[in-house]
Amino acid sequence: MKLYNYFRSSASFRVRIALNLKGLAYDYEPIHLVKGVHRQDAFAAVSADGLVPVLEVDGVRLSQSMAIIEYLDETRLEPRLLPAEPLARAQVRALAQSIACEIHPLNNLRVLKYLGRELQLGEDARNAWYRHWCRTGLEAFERQLAQLREAGRGGPFCFGDTPTLADCCLVPQIFNARRYEVDLSGLPLTLAACEAALALPAVQQAQPSACPDFEA
């Protein structure tokens, strides 16, 4: 396997966590988004949308982190990142998509650059945008966890006693929230689940600081 990846990309971080949790080895191909490597012709031949991550696996290239992780979960069965039971699987997907579809798209690098370059918003305004949408989304995530706990879906992780797709999404989002100094008070279930995941060696080894292209 080969992972085309940027160390600070939340979506790439998700896939690194999933690969490590499953104990899958891969080659690391850095694609520096800030330097515009993703817009060069060489990467255009790899990625139709010019985004990371891209995973070369089983003779094909897959894009979009959620699709990549679900493919890995369906072809490399253990440990499972999505429950076998349909309702539980839907609940885990709902948690994961609350981050991947509701928080991350509003705060990714392309959006922040557009706010600054085209809309001429200063750094303080862009950071306020980030913090508002991240905090709003995490408050909703906390309420979802609370409802699941009330329904008996407890455990140290987002959903039960083992990490799932939801944890693969949560850890990168909290990492970036802390980078942008988002207010994380009043989110006890969310932060507890994140800390449970961060205690795992597989998650620690997926951290941006562990990537070969890491920049402080």
Side-chain angles (χ1 to χ4, degrees):
M1 296 186 196
K2 178 187 286 188
L3 180 66
Y4 295 82
N5 171 90
Y6 178 51
F7 75 95
R8 200 174 281 141
S9 158
S10 295
S12 298
F13 194 172
R14 296 169 196 158
V15 175
R16 296 197 305 268
I17 292 172
L19 286 164
N20 290 353
L21 287 171
K22 287 183 173 290
L24 299 172
Y26 61 94
D27 294 328
Y28 187 108
E29 183 69 28
I31 302 295
H32 203 300
L33 300 185
V34 175
K35 294 179 180 178
V37 175
H38 60 298
R39 293 192 295 270
Q40 296 175 3
D41 290 343
F43 189 60
V46 172
S47 172
D49 56 15
L51 301 175
V52 293
V54 173
L55 183 68
E56 289 187 359
V57 56
D58 298 337
V60 298
R61 292 182 178 127
L62 295 177
S63 62
Q64 293 295 329
S65 62
M66 306 293 272
I68 291 170
I69 295 172
E70 291 216 25
Y71 176 79
L72 292 173
D73 211 45
E74 292 169 0
T75 58
R76 279 78 175 169
L77 298 181
E78 298 297 335
R80 296 299 298 264
L81 299 178
L82 283 161
E85 192 264 313
L87 175 59
R89 189 162 61 247
Q91 290 170 320
V92 168
R93 282 186 175 130
L95 287 171
Q97 290 175 17
S98 289
I99 293 171
C101 301
E102 302 296 336
I103 302 176
H104 178 248
L106 289 166
N107 292 310
N108 66 25
L109 183 61
R110 290 186 299 168
V111 169
L112 297 178
K113 281 189 171 183
Y114 185 85
L115 291 173
R117 188 170 51 234
E118 271 73 19
L119 300 187
Q120 301 296 305
L121 294 184
E123 183 177 359
D124 288 345
R126 295 197 306 273
N127 288 343
W129 166 284
Y130 189 103
R131 292 169 185 147
H132 170 77
W133 291 114
C134 186
R135 173 70 193 189
T136 299
L138 289 174
E139 287 174 350
F141 191 84
E142 178 76 12
R143 292 193 294 271
Q144 290 178 70
L145 290 182
Q147 290 178 350
L148 289 169
R149 299 302 185 265
E150 291 170 2
R153 298 291 194 177
F157 299 99
C158 287
F159 193 92
D161 296 326
T162 59
T164 66
L165 176 62
D167 301 282
C168 293
C169 293
L170 177 62
V171 169
Q173 188 60 65
I174 295 298
F175 175 87
N176 280 333
R178 286 171 170 153
R179 278 184 61 223
Y180 280 86
E181 300 180 346
V182 175
D183 177 14
L184 297 177
S185 63
L187 304 171
L189 299 175
T190 300
L191 294 183
C194 183
E195 291 306 312
L198 285 170
L200 300 174
V203 176
Q204 295 169 15
Q205 293 159 10
Q207 292 274 2
S209 59
C211 293
D213 58 335
F214 172 71
E215 298 171 358

